[in-house]
Amino acid sequence: YFCAEFGFHESFPIYSGGLGILAGDHCKAASDLGVPFVAIGLLYQRGYFNQTIDNHGQQIAQYTPTNINNLPMHPALDANGRVLKIQVPIGDRRINLKLWEAKAGRIKLLLLDSNDPENSEEDRSITYQLYGGDRHVRIKQEIVLGIGGVRALRALNLAPTIWHINEGHPALQIIERCREQIEQGLNFDAALESVAAATVFTTHTPVSAGHDIFDQTLMEQYLGRYVIDELKLPFDAFLRLGGTPENQHSFNMTSFALRGSRFHNG
């Protein structure tokens, strides 16, 4: 169950509002039902902003760093008891991600964290803030969540049979799973169909602000090499998977999630 935010309690500030509360409740319900379930998200060390209003009626956003030692989680470990790290490609480089594990009843929540001393300061800040930064930060967060989330599960030897994308933010998990199928000998079209058959997509936001759209230049900058080298796919063909009738030259994560899944619930 991939989601950009999870709301369990105000002391664990990795959510902003309704989407996070929904995801947190979904996790708790899965625990109550005894469903074999693992959730994937990002560790935001500065969380979401606290809102204050100044004398002119303007919103002031205040971010408060979180002491991760006070959060109910621990580093994820491999079978030999070593702290797990994975890497994801962003543009022409790879960044390191630390994995954290939290529990909500019986279920496991894995959180990815780019704040690793081996990364550049720019890359360390990718997961600092929920919905913070500009479009460059947002696409990098979605690469970490989608591609990194799949690699985190594999590093822990977890093999889900159903993959749930909650809103479009984690939709890039689809291409990482396609990459795995291509490595096994499938072409891209066959890989996409195989992946989509095991993918559920839910969207809850009827306004445009809830649907991420990235321009072609941004997509090429951060994913061009991955698409061509790993998916063996011309970039224009990949871009069309996220196109809409109104705009074929940008990438809509909701459109891509719909095309990359066969089970939808809006």
Side-chain angles (χ1 to χ4, degrees):
Y1 185 88
F2 285 60
C3 190
E5 50 175 297
F6 290 87
F8 295 108
H9 189 268
E10 62 185 20
S11 62
F12 201 0
I14 56 171
Y15 69 100
S16 68
L19 176 63
I21 298 302
L22 172 71
D25 285 351
H26 198 108
C27 293
K28 294 171 184 177
S31 173
D32 290 344
L33 293 169
V35 175
F37 181 98
V38 60
I40 308 291
L42 301 180
L43 177 64
Y44 305 104
Q45 295 191 13
R46 297 180 185 173
Y48 194 60
F49 66 82
N50 294 313
Q51 180 191 70
T52 58
I53 305 297
D54 66 16
N55 292 333
H56 303 288
Q58 301 296 312
Q59 174 182 277
I60 306 297
Q62 297 177 327
Y63 287 92
T64 303
T66 301
N67 184 342
I68 62 173
N69 295 319
N70 294 333
L71 297 179
M73 63 183 191
H74 58 81
L77 305 177
D78 65 16
N80 297 314
R82 294 173 299 197
V83 174
L84 270 175
K85 288 186 184 182
I86 60 170
Q87 289 188 328
V88 295
I90 292 184
D92 59 358
R93 67 190 188 279
R94 291 180 176 271
I95 70 164
N96 295 302
L97 299 173
K98 296 186 287 188
L99 304 183
W100 300 88
E101 183 178 321
K103 287 288 187 72
R106 299 181 182 90
I107 73 99
K108 180 184 297 183
L109 169 64
L110 297 177
L111 298 171
L112 298 109
D113 176 14
S114 68
N115 187 17
D116 185 276
E118 296 180 22
N119 291 334
S120 69
E121 183 54 42
E122 177 185 347
D123 290 337
R124 293 182 71 166
S125 68
I126 291 172
T127 58
Y128 278 176
Q129 298 173 357
L130 171 59
Y131 305 139
D134 57 16
R135 304 304 291 169
H136 292 267
V137 173
R138 180 64 67 85
I139 185 61
K140 287 186 283 189
Q141 286 186 337
E142 299 193 5
I143 291 170
V144 168
L145 178 58
I147 296 176
V150 176
R151 295 187 179 188
L153 289 168
R154 301 312 189 198
L156 289 166
N157 295 315
L158 296 172
T161 54
I162 300 171
W163 299 72
H164 192 144
I165 300 170
N166 197 29
E167 293 288 13
H169 312 112
L172 294 176
Q173 59 136 284
I174 293 167
I175 59 172
E176 175 65 8
R177 292 163 57 211
C178 284
R179 182 194 65 78
E180 294 177 333
Q181 299 275 0
I182 290 167
E183 279 191 347
Q184 299 300 314
L186 295 185
N187 62 33
F188 180 80
D189 289 340
L192 181 60
E193 189 57 40
S194 174
V195 164
T199 304
V200 178
F201 172 57
T202 50
T203 182
H204 321 276
T205 310
V207 295
S208 59
H211 304 274
D212 286 328
I213 301 175
F214 299 103
D215 64 44
Q216 179 176 348
T217 302
L218 207 63
M219 295 296 290
E220 282 189 287
Q221 178 180 350
Y222 293 113
L223 283 167
R225 184 171 177 179
Y226 178 97
V227 168
I228 293 168
D229 293 349
E230 304 289 347
L231 303 182
K232 317 299 181 186
L233 190 69
F235 194 81
D236 286 349
F238 172 67
L239 201 66
R240 286 195 292 272
L241 292 171
T244 63
E246 299 80 16
N247 192 341
Q248 293 292 327
H249 301 289
S250 61
F251 197 90
N252 185 308
M253 287 294 182
T254 299
S255 296
F256 179 55
L258 287 166
R259 292 186 176 110
S261 58
R262 294 294 173 265
F263 303 92
H264 316 131
N265 179 31

